[in-house]
């Protein structure tokens, strides 16, 4: 045993190599195969996520390969963008050229420049004896392309389906210069009908767009098949049959108990339509195989092993998000939890990639990563590019739960940060209060000193004021005494002056006597002046009288 694969593909579509694991769609495979066999053009439609791609890959391709009449080619255009270099037709033709490498010499001899779909289909028929089956998966993407490309696609596809031999080839064969160019056998091959087949697979909500092809394909909607979710019985088959298979699997064959099957179907089924979507079956069964059967080596799953299926889907969301880089995790959560699920009613929303890039700053690589992980579904936008939505309605509750939990964490974090900030602020307030209190204490001490200083200053001021008053009083008294002294001095001077005048008058009389006496005994003039000055400055005439006595003795004067 090589143990190289699991029994359930999980979230990914079934590949052709997994056809032996593809259960529950036998009726659908047969019905679509019959439609393809009956008409050249078939349309299969259904809601997104119901498994159209899995039906084609693991159901139709193996079934068609059994009869070996047609060689299938699965084609996906992808949404149109302005920088896209491949056209609708070149996408198909390049695929055919890579698959059919041998040259068909006699066809190329006729019209070497021809590169039509009809030409490539004829090459396939001539070389391999098989007709062409073109399967256009997610055909809704074509409507995002420019109109001229769609018209060219319609023209060549119509020629492929409805023309046995194009007129340009017939004219070339009938031309005179083409005589002997082909053998009879080659001419028979050229005239042989191609019997090509075309299958369009499209979302049911885009089915109305198919009506645009009626100009070239008037009966395009006459051969349609709607793919629905699995019935309860088919869902049960899809759950149980892969588990029982022998072969090269990582796990040994195992069983689901009846109670487990009942619980899973009850959880998975739509209660109104009683149908189950295959992607949910694969998601849950893949989880149980890996987490329970493989790890615990179980041979039978019981209720105790499966737990709550809701948690599996929730864990799936969290696991896919956590598998991203830390930088991308936050961006992906913002987009999915805030942008793709509405608040309140919790509905899936659709956003165009341009809006996502502008608002959430998520570029194409991360979007493709989310699509590959089956968290998102990319849908072609009619005017170019892709719009994105949550891959399934069942992912809405986990997303809402994660969003609510995230808000709670953010609120708790905000509360903690607010508490930290409040504590910091409280500490700052405490420090500020302590600082203020310290300043108040200093102010109080200073105020006490100032009060004492003011009291002392008041006391000293009072004393100074008293001294000033005393000084002023003393000054006033001194002024008054000075005035009084001045008055007394003035009075004394006045009295002295009067006395001087009186004495002077008396002296004048004496001087006259002297002069009269001197007529006979002349005295020096200077002596007379001296005596006059003495008589003037010394009103009491004591000096004068003394001097005169001295003169009397000196000059032997004879006056009284």
């Amino acid at each position: 045993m090589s143990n190289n694969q699991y029994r359930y593909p999980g979230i990914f579509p079934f590949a052709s190599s997994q056809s032996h694991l593809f259960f529950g769609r036998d009726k659908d495979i047969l019905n679509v195969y019959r439609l393809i066999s009956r008409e050249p053009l078939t349309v299969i439609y259904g809601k997104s996520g119901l498994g159209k791609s899995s039906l084609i890959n693991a159901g139709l391709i193996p079934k068609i390969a059994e009869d070996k009449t047609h060689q299938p080619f699965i084609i996906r255009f992808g949404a149109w963008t302005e920088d896209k270099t491949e056209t609708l037709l070149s996408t198909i033709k390049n695929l055919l050229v890579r698959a059919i490498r041998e040259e068909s010499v006699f066809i190329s001899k006729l019209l070497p420049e021809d590169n039509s779909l009809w030409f490539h289909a004829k090459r396939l028929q001539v070389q391999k004896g098989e007709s062409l089956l073109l399967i256009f998966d997610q055909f809704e993407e074509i409507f995002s392309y420019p109109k001229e490309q769609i018209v060219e696609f319609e023209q060549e596809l119509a020629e492929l389906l409805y023309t046995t031999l194009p007129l340009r080839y017939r004219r070339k064969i009938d031309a005179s210069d083409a005589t002997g160019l082909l053998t009879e056998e080659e001419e028979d091959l050229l005239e042989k009908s191609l019997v090509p087949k075309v299958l369009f697979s499209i979302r049911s909500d885009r089915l109305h767009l198919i009506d645009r092809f009626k100009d070239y394909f008037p009966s395009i909607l006459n051969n349609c098949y709607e793919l629905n979710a699995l019935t309860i019985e088919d869902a049960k088959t899809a759950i149980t049959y892969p588990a029982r298979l022998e072969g090269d699997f990582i796990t040994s064959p195992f069983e689901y108990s009846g109670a487990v099957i009942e619980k899973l179907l009850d959880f998975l089924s739509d209660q109104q339509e009683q149908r189950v979507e295959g992607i949910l079956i694969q998601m849950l069964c893949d989880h149980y195989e890996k987490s329970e059967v493989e790890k615990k080596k179980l041979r039978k799953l019981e209720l105790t092993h499966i737990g709550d299926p809701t948690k599996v889907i929730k864990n799936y969301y969290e696991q896919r998000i956590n598998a991203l880089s830390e930088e991308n995790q936050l961006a992906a959560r913002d987009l999915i939890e805030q942008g793709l699920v509405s608040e309140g009613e919790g509905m899936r929303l659709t956003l165009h990639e341009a809006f996502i890039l502008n608002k959430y700053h998520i570029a194409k690589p991360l979007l493709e990563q989310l699509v590959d992980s089956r968290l998102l579904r990319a849908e072609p936008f009619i005017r170019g590019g892709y719009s994105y939505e949550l891959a399934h309605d069942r992912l809405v509750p986990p997303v809402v739960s994660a969003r609510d939990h995230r808000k709670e964490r953010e609120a708790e974090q905000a509360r903690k940060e607010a508490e930290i900030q409040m504590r910091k602020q409280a500490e700052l307030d405490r420090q500020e209060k302590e600082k203020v209190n310290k300043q108040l204490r200093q102010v109080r001490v200073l105020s006490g000193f100032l009060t004492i200083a003011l009291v002392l200053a008041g006391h000293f001021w009072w004393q100074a004021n008293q001294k000033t008053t005393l000084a002023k009083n003393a000054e006033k008294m001194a002024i008054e005494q000075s005035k009084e002294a001045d008055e007394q001095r003035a009075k004394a001077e006045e009295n002295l002056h009067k006395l001087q005048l009186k004495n002077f008058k008396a002296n004048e009389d004496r001087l006259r006597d002297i002069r009269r006496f001197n007529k006979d005994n002349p005295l020096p003039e200077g002596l007379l002046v001296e005596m006059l000055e003495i008589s003037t400055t010394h009103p009491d005439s004591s000096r004068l009288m003394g001097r005169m006595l001295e003169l009397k003795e000196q000059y032997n004067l004879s006056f009284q």
Side-chain angles (χ1 to χ4, degrees):
M1 178 180 289
S2 62
N3 297 335
N4 59 5
Q5 62 179 326
Y6 288 101
R7 300 167 183 274
Y8 304 92
I11 59 172
F12 302 100
F14 281 85
S16 296
S17 60
Q18 295 172 310
S19 61
H20 60 297
L21 301 174
F22 189 62
F23 292 96
R25 289 294 190 184
D26 291 346
K27 294 178 182 178
D28 296 308
I29 294 170
L30 182 58
N31 289 336
V32 174
Y33 177 77
R34 286 173 176 172
L35 288 176
I36 292 174
S37 302
R38 190 167 59 215
E39 298 288 342
L41 181 58
T42 305
V43 176
I44 177 174
Y45 65 95
K47 290 195 303 183
S48 182
L50 286 184
K52 296 185 294 296
S53 296
S54 294
L55 179 72
I56 292 170
N57 295 335
L60 283 176
I61 298 298
K63 179 69 175 175
I64 290 169
E66 291 177 0
D67 58 23
K68 298 181 180 180
T69 59
H70 287 78
Q71 182 171 348
F73 292 88
I74 299 177
I75 300 159
R76 270 205 62 184
F77 294 123
W80 179 80
T81 57
E82 291 185 357
D83 59 349
K84 197 176 184 69
T85 56
E86 275 198 325
T87 66
L88 294 170
L89 285 175
S90 66
T91 300
I92 306 169
K93 293 171 183 177
N94 290 339
L95 178 64
L96 297 178
V97 168
R98 288 192 296 269
I100 311 169
R101 295 186 181 277
E102 297 178 15
E103 287 295 330
S104 181
V105 177
F106 83 88
I107 299 177
S108 300
K109 284 191 300 184
L110 290 174
L111 294 172
E113 72 282 1
D114 193 17
N115 188 37
S116 64
L117 290 180
W118 187 93
F119 168 75
H120 291 291
K122 177 58 71 172
R123 286 179 58 209
L124 177 67
Q125 183 190 53
V126 170
Q127 292 173 8
K128 298 186 177 182
E130 295 178 334
S131 295
L132 182 64
L133 169 59
L134 296 178
I135 300 174
F136 297 95
D137 195 13
Q138 299 191 31
F139 188 63
E140 60 270 9
E141 293 172 337
I142 195 174
F143 299 105
S144 64
Y145 282 75
K147 185 176 180 180
E148 57 271 18
Q149 288 196 35
I150 297 176
V151 171
E152 291 173 352
F153 168 80
E154 289 178 297
Q155 291 172 343
E156 290 209 22
L157 190 64
E159 181 184 69
L160 170 67
L161 292 180
Y162 305 127
T163 304
T164 301
L165 183 64
L167 183 59
R168 59 185 177 278
Y169 280 95
R170 191 167 301 281
R171 285 176 176 170
K172 183 64 177 178
I173 293 172
D174 293 341
S176 58
D177 60 346
T179 303
L181 192 61
L182 301 178
T183 65
E184 291 185 3
E185 182 181 3
E186 288 174 339
E187 287 187 12
D188 291 340
L189 281 173
L190 193 62
E191 295 283 355
K192 184 179 180 181
S193 178
L194 288 174
V195 196
K197 302 289 183 179
V198 172
L199 173 65
F200 294 150
S201 175
I202 189 170
R203 285 174 49 169
S204 55
D205 59 346
R206 298 288 190 272
L207 182 62
H208 64 283
L209 298 175
I210 289 284
D211 193 60
R212 298 181 184 181
F213 288 93
K214 280 192 172 181
D215 290 345
Y216 288 90
F217 310 99
S219 59
I220 190 170
L221 293 175
N222 292 351
N223 202 42
C224 294
Y225 185 81
E226 181 180 10
L227 185 68
N228 292 306
L230 295 169
T231 64
I232 297 297
E233 280 302 313
D234 289 336
K236 184 177 179 180
T237 300
I239 293 172
T240 58
Y241 277 37
R244 299 170 182 168
L245 291 176
E246 299 282 353
D248 294 339
F249 298 104
I250 294 172
T251 59
S252 299
F254 63 95
E255 293 284 342
Y256 295 86
S257 70
V260 168
I261 293 173
E262 184 178 351
K263 182 174 183 176
L264 289 179
L265 292 176
D266 181 65
F267 171 76
L268 294 169
S269 63
D270 182 301
Q271 298 303 317
Q272 291 182 342
E273 298 182 2
Q274 290 295 296
R275 286 183 175 271
V276 177
E277 295 188 21
I279 188 172
L280 295 177
I281 292 175
Q282 301 304 320
M283 181 187 296
L284 289 177
C285 292
D286 176 60
H287 171 77
Y288 294 134
E289 181 186 10
K290 293 175 181 177
S291 66
E292 300 296 324
V293 176
E294 180 183 8
K295 290 184 178 180
K296 300 177 182 179
K297 307 299 181 183
L298 298 178
R299 300 302 295 268
K300 189 172 185 178
L301 281 173
E302 302 287 356
L303 285 175
T304 55
H305 300 130
I306 68 168
D308 184 1
T310 304
K311 292 182 179 180
V312 175
I313 298 177
K314 180 180 179 180
N315 291 338
Y316 169 78
Y317 172 70
E318 293 295 338
Q319 289 168 0
R320 296 296 171 179
I321 290 292
N322 293 334
L324 302 172
S325 66
E326 289 187 12
E327 180 183 357
N328 287 338
Q329 285 181 30
L330 183 59
R333 284 188 182 276
D334 283 341
L335 169 62
I336 295 173
E337 297 170 12
Q338 304 298 330
L340 297 181
V341 177
S342 65
E343 293 281 354
E345 63 273 13
M347 295 176 59
R348 281 196 295 172
L349 302 177
T350 301
L351 299 177
H352 191 271
E353 59 184 333
F355 179 83
I356 292 172
L357 177 61
N358 182 58
K359 183 176 176 66
Y360 296 98
H361 309 292
I362 295 180
K364 198 67 175 285
L366 178 54
L367 289 173
E368 291 175 351
Q369 210 174 343
L370 294 173
V371 170
D372 290 340
S373 67
R374 293 303 185 270
L375 287 178
L376 299 187
R377 175 184 296 131
E379 300 297 341
F381 194 67
I382 292 178
R383 289 188 292 276
Y386 284 93
S387 58
Y388 293 83
E389 63 182 5
L390 207 59
H392 198 278
D393 285 334
R394 288 298 181 101
L395 286 172
V396 171
V399 169
V400 172
S401 175
R403 180 174 65 193
D404 293 343
H405 184 57
R406 182 183 176 194
K407 287 182 178 179
E408 290 174 2
R409 290 199 311 271
E410 291 174 349
E412 179 65 18
Q413 182 64 26
R415 184 186 65 79
K416 289 180 179 179
E417 290 177 358
E419 287 180 353
I420 293 172
Q421 191 62 32
M422 288 174 63
R423 285 196 293 270
K424 288 182 179 178
Q425 188 61 46
E427 177 62 19
L428 291 175
D429 291 344
R430 186 194 65 77
Q431 293 175 0
E432 185 65 24
K433 185 177 180 181
E434 181 64 27
K435 183 179 178 181
V436 170
N437 288 336
K438 183 177 180 180
Q439 291 174 344
L440 285 174
R441 288 194 297 271
Q442 293 173 344
V443 168
R444 290 192 188 103
V445 172
L446 182 59
S447 178
F449 284 122
L450 287 175
T451 302
I452 295 172
L454 286 172
V455 170
L456 292 174
H459 175 70
F460 292 136
W461 175 84
W462 180 82
Q463 287 183 334
N465 190 52
Q466 287 295 101
K467 290 180 180 180
T468 302
T469 303
L470 291 174
K472 286 183 178 179
N473 290 337
E475 183 183 4
K476 184 177 180 182
M477 187 179 295
I479 292 172
E480 290 176 353
Q481 291 176 349
S482 177
K483 286 176 66 177
E484 187 177 352
D486 288 343
E487 291 174 356
Q488 290 178 354
R489 184 172 58 252
K491 190 174 181 180
E493 288 178 351
E494 184 180 356
N495 291 335
L496 176 62
H497 181 63
K498 287 179 179 180
L499 180 60
Q500 286 177 342
L501 287 177
K502 183 179 177 181
N503 291 336
F504 182 75
K505 190 174 180 181
N507 289 337
E508 280 185 339
D509 292 341
R510 290 187 183 98
L511 285 173
R512 279 193 302 267
D513 290 341
I514 293 171
R515 285 190 179 96
R516 192 168 52 247
F517 170 78
N518 197 36
K519 285 180 179 181
D520 297 323
N521 300 294
L523 295 171
E525 183 67 24
L527 179 62
L528 290 176
V529 173
E530 178 186 356
M531 294 175 67
L532 181 61
E533 286 178 354
I534 292 172
S535 67
T536 302
T537 57
H538 298 279
D540 57 359
S541 300
S542 58
R543 284 186 63 192
L544 178 62
M545 291 305 294
R547 183 62 174 158
M548 287 181 71
L549 289 175
E550 290 174 0
L551 290 174
K552 182 178 179 182
E553 291 178 0
Q554 181 180 356
Y555 292 100
N556 194 25
L557 296 178
S558 58
F559 59 82
Q560 298 294 325

